[in-house]
């Protein structure tokens, strides 16, 4: 397939490219596009045949439901039993990195919801995404624009890397500001429950409704036979080709442990990458070292996480040793993605 591409600049917004991409969506094709969380791979959410193509292009398991993206807070056409709390969350956090799970209306095909009676809905903040949805005139079903299992793309080049030749159109824009997928809140239960942590943090959600909580399964290794509430949680995710290990504990001890481990791996002729921070960077002498940013700015660490995992793949490292982060605020989402990338391989220092 010949993939058409256009990069849109914010100060010189190219509506022609957006209209052209919207035409592809309306015709049942696939368009990758930027959002503030990560890049998405979109199709007309109401068209089963179009949505099937998303699963094929990504190699995504059919039982992993898609989030539909809307350009308006009025979602009565797509969801039923919208609770007052759901409405409050929508009013407070849309447009933005929050997905709400609600009972689906009959116009949402079961391919989109992966046979569930519920649907995930989000109104993104990115201008390109919003204009694309508006011009398409339909909600856009869009998972992250990566080959299934790989770290999500946060810029145009990474989308092209994964999807060139597999989709009809790739729209490029800025680097995704958040860098992690949306927070998912299940509003079909009371109190609502967080199924995936993201940039809309638990603290922010609790300010709206104090009983909102994070599903305990979120940070646990999924059991073989477990049926998770967010089906995507059971799959290996965010994983680079290299083996990832997390070292968690006091920073000074973490640095010592990582330095000791690096030398052992080098002895075994393995190439090692270290995911460091600005604070620890000067203390690593061996291996390929990349800083995710300053520990004082967890948002920038979130933004750089997936791109850094992919950079280590480009460098063909065999092992990635990563520092851990505080498990509060957006740190919960960072640790969630990192833990999954590591297949739950965490060394806890005392
Ligand atoms: P992705 O778009 O690749 O970030 O994946 C979407 C995520 O949203 C998956 O992990 C799904 O499990 C989750 N999700 C989407 N729709 C639903 C739903 N109706 N109920 C629960 N989780 C959902
Ligand atoms: Mg994904």
């Amino acid at each position: 397939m010949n993939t058409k591409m256009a990069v849109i600049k914010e100060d010189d917004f190219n509506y022609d490219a957006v209209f052209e991409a919207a035409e592809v969506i309306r015709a049942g094709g696939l368009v990758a596009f930027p959002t503030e969380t990560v890049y998405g791979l979109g199709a007309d959410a109401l068209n089963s045949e179009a949505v099937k193509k998303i699963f094929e292009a990504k190699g995504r398991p059919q039982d992993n439901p898609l989030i539909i993206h809307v350009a308006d807070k009025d979602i009565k056409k797509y969801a039923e039993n919208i609770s007052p709390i759901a409405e409050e969350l929508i009013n407070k956090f849309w447009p933005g990195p929050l997905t709400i799970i609600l009972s689906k209306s009959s116009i949402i095909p079961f391919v989109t919801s992966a046979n569930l009676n519920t649907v995930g809905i989000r109104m993104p903040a990115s201008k390109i995404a919003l204009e694309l949805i508006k011009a398409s005139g339909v909600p856009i079903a869009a998972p992250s624009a990566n080959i299934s299992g790989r770290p999500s793309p946060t810029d145009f080049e990474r989308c092209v890397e994964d999807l060139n030749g597999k989709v009809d159109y790739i729209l490029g824009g800025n680097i995704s500001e958040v860098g992690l997928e949306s927070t998912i809140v299940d509003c079909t239960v009371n109190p609502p429950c967080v199924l995936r942590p993201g940039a809309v943090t638990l603290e922010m959600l609790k300010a709206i409704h104090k009983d909102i909580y994070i599903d305990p399964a979120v940070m646990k290794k999924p059991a073989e036979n477990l049926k998770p509430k967010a089906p995507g949680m059971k799959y290996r995710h965010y994983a680079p080709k290299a083996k990832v290990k997390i070292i968690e504990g006091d920073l000074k001890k973490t640095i010592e442990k990582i330095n000791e481990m690096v030398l052992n791996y080098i002895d075994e002729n393995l190439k090692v990458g270290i995911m460091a921070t600005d604070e620890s960077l000067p203390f690593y002498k061996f291996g390929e070292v990349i800083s995710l940013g300053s520990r004082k700015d967890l948002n920038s660490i979130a933004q750089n996480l997936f791109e850094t995992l992919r950079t280590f793949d480009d460098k063909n490292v065999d092992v990635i040793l990563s520092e851990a982060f505080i498990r509060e605020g957006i740190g919960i989402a960072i640790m969630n993605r990192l833990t999954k990338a590591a297949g739950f391989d965490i060394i806890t220092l005392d």
Side-chain angles (χ1 to χ4, degrees), residues 82-96:
I82 306 169
S83 66
I85 302 174
E87 266 168 19
E88 260 186 276
L89 294 175
I90 288 168
N91 284 328
K92 175 77 184 172
F93 297 109
W94 282 11

Side-chain angles (χ1 to χ4, degrees), residues 51 54-56 58-67 101 110-116 118 120 141-144 146-149 184 196 228-238 340:
V51 170
I54 297 181
F55 288 92
E56 282 159 21
K58 282 184 56 107
R60 183 178 177 101
Q62 305 253 340
D63 63 350
N64 196 356
L66 306 180
I67 293 167
I101 307 287
F110 280 107
V111 187
T112 303
S113 72
N115 283 323
L116 298 174
T118 55
S144 47
N146 52 289
I147 296 300
S148 224
I184 301 180
R196 177 171 76 186
K229 288 182 213 153
M233 293 199 299
K234 73 176 179 227
Y235 294 107
R236 185 162 185 253
H237 249 115
Y238 319 118
K340 289 192 171 200

Side-chain angles (χ1 to χ4, degrees), residues 1-214:
M1 182 189 291
N2 191 11
T3 301
K4 198 156 184 193
M5 298 179 199
V7 176
I8 299 175
K9 301 211 168 38
E10 233 160 61
D11 50 358
D12 178 24
F13 200 86
N14 181 351
Y15 282 97
D16 289 343
V18 172
F19 293 150
E20 206 174 30
E23 200 53 55
V24 170
I25 295 280
R26 274 200 299 275
L30 298 185
V31 176
F33 61 98
T35 88
E36 75 278 20
T37 57
V38 300
Y39 274 61
L41 173 58
D44 175 353
L46 307 181
N47 176 341
S48 297
E49 291 309 310
V51 170
K52 272 186 203 153
K53 293 183 196 164
I54 297 181
F55 288 92
E56 282 159 21
K58 282 184 56 107
R60 183 178 177 101
Q62 305 253 340
D63 63 350
N64 196 356
L66 306 180
I67 293 167
I68 72 163
H69 294 73
V70 295
D72 198 299
K73 292 184 183 182
D74 179 5
I75 52 169
K76 283 193 289 293
K77 266 206 263 178
Y78 313 122
E80 284 167 9
N81 306 323
I82 306 169
S83 66
I85 302 174
E87 266 168 19
E88 260 186 276
L89 294 175
I90 288 168
N91 284 328
K92 175 77 184 172
F93 297 109
W94 282 11
L98 178 71
T99 296
I100 310 262
I101 307 287
L102 293 162
S103 297
K104 81 172 193 69
S105 72
S106 58
I107 70 167
I108 305 292
F110 280 107
V111 187
T112 303
S113 72
N115 283 323
L116 298 174
N117 291 315
T118 55
V119 62
I121 310 183
R122 176 168 101 87
M123 178 179 174
S126 140
K127 178 168 176 183
I128 298 175
L130 286 173
E131 294 299 335
L132 176 67
I133 300 162
K134 279 188 220 161
S136 302
V138 288
I140 296 185
S144 47
N146 52 289
I147 296 300
S148 224
R150 297 207 65 200
S152 303
T154 52
D155 70 15
F156 172 69
E157 284 76 21
R158 294 301 186 185
C159 265
V160 174
E161 192 177 291
D162 277 20
L163 298 177
N164 191 10
K166 298 195 170 107
V167 303
D168 300 286
Y169 212 114
I170 303 179
L171 283 177
N174 290 342
I175 292 174
S176 296
E177 205 178 306
V178 175
L180 302 177
E181 302 83 351
S182 58
T183 305
I184 301 180
V185 177
D186 184 355
C187 287
T188 65
V189 290
N190 195 1
C193 169
V194 177
L195 302 182
R196 177 171 76 186
V200 172
T201 63
L202 182 63
E203 294 84 343
M204 290 156 76
L205 293 165
K206 275 179 172 297
I208 302 294
H209 189 79
K210 66 175 179 21
D211 295 331
I212 296 182
Y213 65 102
I214 298 186

